[in-house]
């Protein structure tokens, strides 16, 4: 298996929320900031965007949410620094009080990560979450000792740009030896743009998209479960 570096998306790839305790602290932080900065009472970006949020970066999510209220990109962009600061302040202020941190690992993903670690394969994150929220999710899900490189939604706006940043941070590894693991069409498209291998886990294994939706990108390997290790090894051997 010609593999030296793996990047993983977070939500729908490594973890999911059990959905038993209402909105997460991150969701509440973003909704609060959108309401405060843009004066949109009762805004809920999850309800507005639905499944469209999967594969989007936080910046794109917020821009798309306020666009539903007639606020275009030209009016959004100047306020983005204030928006992220407001998110950060709310997040920090409510962190110790508990953040409905009911994140659970996808079935089989721990075993797969342990398998990669045993082969001395470098592991990193490539996610639309900003770095602080990524670390918070990883710690709460018990993944804080697995990943030591990558890039985040705070590094770039689009998924493929985030992946490009992550690759530059690991320039000692040939792109021929890199794979990105995700669960959205945006993950597969980003890998395609960057010229690296890609594996997408579909909704049967805990992802956010169906096999058919992932197949529309026509790139990489689509799996139903993290337990399909032989299939992944076969794909990565070429």
């Amino acid at each position: 298996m010609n593999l030296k570096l793996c990047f993983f998306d977070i939500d729908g790839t490594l973890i999911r929320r059990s959905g038993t305790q209402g909105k997460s602290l991150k969701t509440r932080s973003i909704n609060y900031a959108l309401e405060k900065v843009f004066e949109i009472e009762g805004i809920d970006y999850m309800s507005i965007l639905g499944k469209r949020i999967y594969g989007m970066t936080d910046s794109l999510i917020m821009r798309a949410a306020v666009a539903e209220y007639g606020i275009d990109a030209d009016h959004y962009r100047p306020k983005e620094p204030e928006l992220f600061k407001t998110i950060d302040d709310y997040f920090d202020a409510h962190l110790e009080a508990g953040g409905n941190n009911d994140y659970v690992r996808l079935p089989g993903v721990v075993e797969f990560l342990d398998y990669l670690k045993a082969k001395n394969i470098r592991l990193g994150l490539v996610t639309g979450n900003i770095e602080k929220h990524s670390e918070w999710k990883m710690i709460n899900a018990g993944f804080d000792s697995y990943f030591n490189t990558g890039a985040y939604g705070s590094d770039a706006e689009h998924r493929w740009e985030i992946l490009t940043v992550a690759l530059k941070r690991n320039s000692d590894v040939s792109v021929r030896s890199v794979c990105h693991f995700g669960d959205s069409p945006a993950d597969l498209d980003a890998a395609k743009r960057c010229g690296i291998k890609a594996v997408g886990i579909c909704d049967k294994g805990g992802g956010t998209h169906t096999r058919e939706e992932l197949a529309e990108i026509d790139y990489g390997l689509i799996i139903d479960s993290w337990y399909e290790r032989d299939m992944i090894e076969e794909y990565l051997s070429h």
Side-chain angles (χ1 to χ4, degrees):
M1 183 170 63
N2 179 29
L3 186 65
K4 295 182 179 179
L5 171 62
C6 292
F7 293 121
F8 286 82
D9 171 52
I10 294 180
D11 300 293
T13 302
L14 295 172
I15 64 173
R16 62 177 173 81
R17 292 192 72 231
S18 64
T20 60
Q21 299 187 42
K23 294 181 175 65
S24 72
L25 176 57
K26 174 190 171 179
T27 297
R28 290 187 282 117
S29 298
I30 291 177
N31 283 339
Y32 171 81
L34 289 171
E35 181 168 335
K36 182 176 179 66
V37 173
F38 290 101
E39 299 180 347
I40 304 172
E41 186 175 352
I43 187 171
D44 181 6
Y45 74 89
M46 296 284 287
S47 298
I48 294 169
L49 300 179
K51 194 172 182 177
R52 283 188 290 160
I53 67 170
Y54 299 120
M56 295 175 72
T57 62
D58 287 346
S59 178
L60 290 177
I61 286 171
M62 292 186 291
R63 194 200 312 169
V66 298
E68 297 293 323
Y69 290 84
I71 300 169
D72 61 23
D74 289 339
H75 289 87
Y76 167 84
R77 288 188 184 279
K79 292 194 173 185
E80 189 171 71
E82 180 186 359
L83 190 60
F84 274 106
K85 184 182 184 306
T86 306
I87 292 171
D88 208 36
D89 290 345
Y90 184 97
F91 186 89
D92 288 344
H94 294 81
L95 190 56
E96 290 188 6
N100 297 339
N101 310 328
D102 53 337
Y103 291 101
V104 295
R105 304 166 177 177
L106 264 61
V109 73
V110 174
E111 293 88 339
F112 184 65
L113 291 174
D114 286 339
Y115 162 75
L116 295 176
K117 283 184 68 176
K119 289 184 171 292
N120 294 315
I121 294 170
R122 192 181 306 171
L123 303 179
L125 297 172
V126 168
T127 172
N129 291 278
I130 64 173
E131 187 168 1
K132 175 182 283 191
H133 295 163
S134 300
E135 292 176 351
W136 170 69
K137 289 181 177 182
M138 291 295 91
I139 290 170
N140 278 290
F143 282 127
D144 47 309
S145 64
Y146 282 88
F147 305 98
N148 53 24
T149 187
Y152 308 89
S154 39
D155 290 309
E157 187 171 73
H158 296 278
R159 180 71 52 141
W160 68 269
E161 293 173 326
I162 297 171
L163 183 52
T164 298
V165 172
L167 288 168
K168 288 180 178 178
R169 288 174 176 167
N170 294 271
S171 58
D172 59 312
V173 179
S174 167
V175 292
R176 294 188 297 273
S177 301
V178 183
C179 183
H180 178 54
F181 295 84
D183 70 301
S184 72
D187 287 304
L188 300 183
D189 179 67
K192 184 177 183 179
R193 286 175 180 243
C194 292
I196 65 173
K197 292 182 174 67
V199 175
I201 184 165
C202 70
D203 55 352
K204 289 183 179 179
T208 58
H209 287 75
T210 65
R211 173 174 285 272
E212 292 73 23
E213 289 170 330
L214 294 176
E216 290 179 5
I217 303 300
D218 193 25
Y219 190 77
L221 172 70
I222 302 171
I223 59 173
D224 293 327
S225 164
W226 285 118
Y227 293 111
E228 296 179 333
R229 189 181 303 171
D230 291 344
M231 188 183 301
I232 297 171
E233 284 187 345
E234 172 64 21
Y235 166 70
L236 294 175
S237 66
H238 298 294

